[in-house]
């Protein structure tokens, strides 16, 4: 690049070249201006451009051809080529006959540049692509749809100039950007002026929520097309949201995964469509589609985060505007699933507003919002379709659809007559199965968080909302409760005590927790569950109890029990949100952040888990966007819920309390003063974070990760002492192993499950699932499948993935001569 010159020096040099009458030298100096300014034609550089435009028409045409002759100097660099083309276009503007190819010598190159541009997500203003687009329009040629799309996307940039935004506003065709499956389907369907107007109105949804004027215009458009017609068509579009791009974009090195993100221009139209649907009469299909839009829009994209929170928030707002039980149920379900902070706040506000309107508590709204999905008894429904009968049953945490023929005999597949004569009913049943599975998962998570909510129910209300509810009852009947202080479980059609005596109705019901129970009672209830073949939806009778240790009594106000671990940050962040903790991703920047916190309003407390970013090398210890890949953990503390917030630098360092307006610091609450149930549940959450997110669980980290600096930690965690959840796992395996087909090949010794194969004997660590094999405790790396299915028969609870991993590995290694996986065989 030529050395930088001031605008004035360029002006003087150009004046001299023009005075000499040497157009070639004028062209060379103009290119030096362009090169020096990097295409930033503004301010002082505008005076340079004015000099060139002041040339006579004959000289300007000669200058254009001289610049065209020098175009190869731009090389293959796209930005340089486009700056050259932009310079020519700016000089030619206003020149009579410029649209004629004779006077536009680089027209073909300009079209090629715009074609290359069409494969971009956006462009820097310095490239002046919009100048090329204006030239095409001035020449009477319409821009290709992909070019329109990139101009629109670039115009949405916060730092775009006004003339780029003005150009984008003139590009009204097509009404949506091409390149996304849903948008192209919408463009294909919108063949009438009425449909075109509907999409155009959706694309005006630029505010955070609809105005009364926007709604009025929308209703007129809906009335013109018909509400049923709009619903059916728009739902078919939403079903395609999130599909792979039909026109993949060329991702620049610095860009996030743009091909899995939403087109930002189309995202505005998606928001408008969500609002439009909320104005239609309530319909379960609409509710389902809006819920899916929320979840699809919050899926993470590498380098970006959630795909499009704007579209997700629009889905929540639309659901909140629909006055139906199904919409309320979807809001409640999403509230248990969504972890993105702003969308979660919208969900909370929507549920609180509905609760206030009905004069109920938030908890009651969540309970009343659970639909039955057509179930006529707890976990069961029958639907007659012609001569066949469909049976919808809930087994564990899954819904299952089965069939009987006219004679009442079970059949393995859907009867042909049902497919032929009842396609809509069949589709509805299959959809109900999916809806039930999603709701069961959400309700299980909600119930698992009730231990800290201090919820109590009147007996009649509890029976209606829990034990006898067609869907929730399938979970509630697998849990333990206390009725007027008497523990009970549900078996053989009745509530029963530990001695299997029927329990009469009472007045007050609570969820049973093992923290305040004698060990003998806990063991007895475990036996009771096993005797009745009950698999709990999550750990309750087998729930880990975390008692205050001598070390914690010595430290007084903090626990180091889960300090000095290395966790995968993004996995920890997602898991914390699911468990009701607030956390801020640590970025490798000069910033501070509060600890991960869980507020416990029913107890007047706030729990904190102190963490910090781990590492300092950008790109090795961070993502491309700068967020740490790993965290290092520290103390767990408790504070009064209204105490000022602690914070520490993201890089690490001491936490300190942020005080303002003359506030005094607030001391942490001594651990001995924390109620045992609260201490146990909070530490259980933290143990879960470590147990799931620790790099010590990763079998591929045997080399210790980057530069091997985590080797010591990986070894100590992957084969070290068992934590509380692993001890629970060990106790369960002690009962399970005698029932396994490979029982004669398995023994439990200390921290390991020993499995005798034909090639080696293997030691599977009960905490991490890592494996050592004879001789010499050689490490064996087996990466488990995403969802291992060991097929071990009865288990007393669901949700322990590591237990499934360990059992799957044991089954495989006991028959090690049948292993065919080459990556495993090479290690044996």
């Amino acid at each position: 690049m030529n050395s930088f010159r001031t605008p004035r020096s360029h002006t003087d040099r150009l004046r001299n070249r023009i005075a000499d009458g040497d157009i070639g030298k004028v062209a060379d100096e103009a290119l030096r201006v362009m090169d020096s300014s990097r295409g930033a034609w503004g301010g002082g550089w505008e005076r340079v451009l004015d000099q060139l435009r002041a040339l006579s028409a004959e000289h300007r045409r000669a200058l254009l051809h001289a610049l065209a002759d020098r175009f190869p100097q731009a090389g293959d660099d796209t930005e340089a080529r486009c700056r050259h083309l932009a310079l020519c276009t700016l000089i030619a503007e206003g020149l009579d006959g410029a649209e004629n190819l004779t006077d536009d010598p680089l027209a073909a190159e300009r079209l090629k540049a715009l074609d290359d541009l069409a494969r971009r997500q956006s462009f820097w203003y310095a490239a002046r692509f919009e100048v090329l687009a204006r030239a095409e329009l001035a020449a009477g040629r319409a821009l290709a749809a992909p070019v329109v799309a990139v101009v629109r996307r670039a115009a949405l940039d916060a730092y775009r100039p006004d003339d780029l935004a003005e150009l984008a506003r003139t590009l009204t065709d097509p009404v949506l950007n091409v390149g996304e499956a849903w948008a192209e389907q919408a463009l294909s369907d919108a063949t009438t002026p009425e449909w075109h107007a509907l999409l155009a109105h959706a694309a005006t949804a630029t505010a955070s929520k609809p105005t009364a004027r926007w709604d009025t215009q929308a209703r007129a458009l809906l009335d013109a097309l018909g509400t049923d017609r709009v619903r059916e068509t728009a739902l078919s579009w939403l079903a395609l949201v999130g599909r792979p791009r039909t026109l993949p974009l060329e991702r620049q090195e610095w860009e996030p995964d743009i091909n899995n993100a939403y087109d930002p221009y189309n995202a505005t139209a998606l928001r408008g469509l969500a609002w439009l649907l909320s104005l239609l009469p309530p319909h379960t299909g609409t509710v389902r589609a809006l819920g899916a839009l929320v979840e699809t829009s919050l899926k993470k994209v590498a380098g970006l985060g959630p795909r499009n929170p704007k579209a997700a928030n629009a889905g929540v707002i639309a659901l909140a505007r629909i006055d139906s039980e199904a919409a309320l149920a979807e809001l409640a379900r999403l509230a248990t699933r969504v972890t993105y902070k702003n969308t979660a706040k919208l969900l909370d506000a929507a549920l609180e507003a509905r609760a206030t309107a009905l004069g109920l508590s938030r908890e009651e709204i969540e309970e009343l919002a659970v639909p039955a999905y057509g179930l006529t008894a707890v976990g069961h429904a029958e639907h007659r379709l012609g001569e066949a009968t469909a049976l919808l049953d809930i087994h564990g945490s899954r819904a299952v659809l089965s069939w009987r023929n006219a004679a009442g005999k079970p059949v393995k597949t859907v009867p042909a007559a049902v497919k032929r004569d009842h396609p809509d009913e069949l589709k509805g049943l299959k959809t109900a199965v999916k809806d039930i599975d999603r709701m069961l998962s959400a309700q299980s998570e909600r119930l698992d968080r009730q231990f800290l909510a201090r919820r109590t129910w009147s007996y009649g209300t509890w029976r209606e909302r829990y034990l006898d509810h067609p869907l929730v009852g399938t979970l509630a009947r697998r849990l333990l409760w206390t009725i007027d202080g008497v523990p009970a479980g549900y078996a053989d059609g009745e509530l029963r005590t530990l001695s299997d005596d029927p329990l009469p109705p009472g007045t007050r019901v609570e969820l049973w927790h093992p923290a305040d129970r004698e060990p003998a009672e806990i063991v007895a209830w475990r036996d009771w569950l096993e005797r009745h073949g009950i698999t709990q939806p999550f750990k309750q009778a087998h729930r880990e109890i975390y008692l205050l240790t001598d070390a914690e009594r010595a430290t007084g106000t903090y626990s180091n029990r889960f300090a000095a671990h290395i966790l995968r940050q993004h996995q920890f962040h997602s898991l914390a949100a699911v468990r009701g903790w607030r956390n801020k991703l640590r970025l490798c920047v000069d910033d501070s952040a509060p600890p991960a916190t869980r507020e416990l309003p029913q107890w007047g407390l706030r729990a904190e888990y102190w963490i910090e970013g781990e590492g300092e090398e950008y790109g090795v210890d961070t993502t491309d966007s700068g967020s740490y890949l790993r965290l290092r953990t520290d103390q767990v503390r408790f504070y009064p819920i209204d105490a000022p917030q602690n914070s520490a630098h993201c890089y690490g360092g001491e936490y300190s309390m942020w005080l303002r307006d003359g506030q005094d610091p607030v001391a942490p609450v001594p651990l001995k003063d924390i109620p045992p149930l609260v201490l146990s549940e909070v530490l259980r959450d933290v143990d879960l974070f470590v147990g799931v997110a620790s790099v010590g669980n990763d079998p591929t980290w045997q080399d210790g990760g980057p530069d091997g600096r985590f080797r010591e930690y990986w070894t100590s965690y992957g084969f070290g002492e068992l934590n509380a959840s692993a001890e629970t796992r060990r106790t369960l395996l002690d009962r399970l192993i005698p029932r396994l087909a490979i029982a004669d090949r398995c023994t439990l010794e200390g921290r390991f499950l020993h499995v005798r194969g034909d090639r080696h004997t293997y030691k599977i660590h009960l905490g991490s699932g890592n494996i050592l094999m004879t001789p010499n405790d050689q490490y064996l790396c087996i990466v488990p499948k995403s969802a291992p299915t060991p097929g071990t028969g009865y288990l007393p609870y669901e949700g322990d993935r590591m237990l499934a991993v360990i059992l799957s590995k044991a089954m495989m290694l006991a028959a090690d001569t049948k292993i065919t996986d080459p990556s495993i065989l090479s290690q044996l």
Side-chain angles (χ1 to χ4, degrees), residues 112-120 122-123 129 147 150-151:
K112 183 180 183 305
L114 289 172
D115 182 60
D116 292 341
L117 170 67
R119 294 188 286 275
R120 298 277 195 91
S122 183
F123 59 85
F129 277 110
V147 177
V150 72
V151 171

Side-chain angles (χ1 to χ4, degrees), residues 29 58 126 128 133 159 200 248 312 355 393 424 455 485 506 551 556 567-568 662 669 701-702 730 753 769 776 783 826:
E29 187 60 31
E58 179 183 355
R128 301 305 299 266
Y159 301 102
D393 292 285
D424 292 339
R455 285 281 281 147
L567 310 184
R568 292 178 288 265
V669 178
W701 269 55
Q702 65 200 66
R730 189 188 193 286
L753 171 62
N776 304 323
V783 180
S826 64

Side-chain angles (χ1 to χ4, degrees), residues 89 93-94 98-99 110 131-143:
T89 304
E93 282 183 347
E99 70 279 3
R110 185 172 67 234
V131 173
L132 310 187
R134 284 206 309 264
E136 282 300 296
L137 294 172
R141 292 185 289 269
L143 298 178

Side-chain angles (χ1 to χ4, degrees), residues 455-512:
R455 285 281 281 147
T456 62
W457 299 266
S458 66
Y459 185 83
T461 297
W462 171 74
R463 293 261 347 186
E464 178 185 356
R465 298 179 186 175
Y466 285 88
L467 203 66
D468 296 333
H469 188 280
L471 185 139
V472 182
T474 64
L475 301 171
R477 292 183 178 191
R478 294 189 284 141
L479 294 172
L480 302 177
W481 306 84
T482 61
I483 290 86
D484 295 336
V486 179
Y490 189 89
D492 300 325
E494 293 187 81
L495 284 168
R496 298 182 182 276
T497 64
L498 193 54
S499 59
D500 273 339
D501 295 322
L503 188 68
T507 57
R508 177 187 172 95
V509 182
E510 295 176 274
L511 196 57
W512 182 92

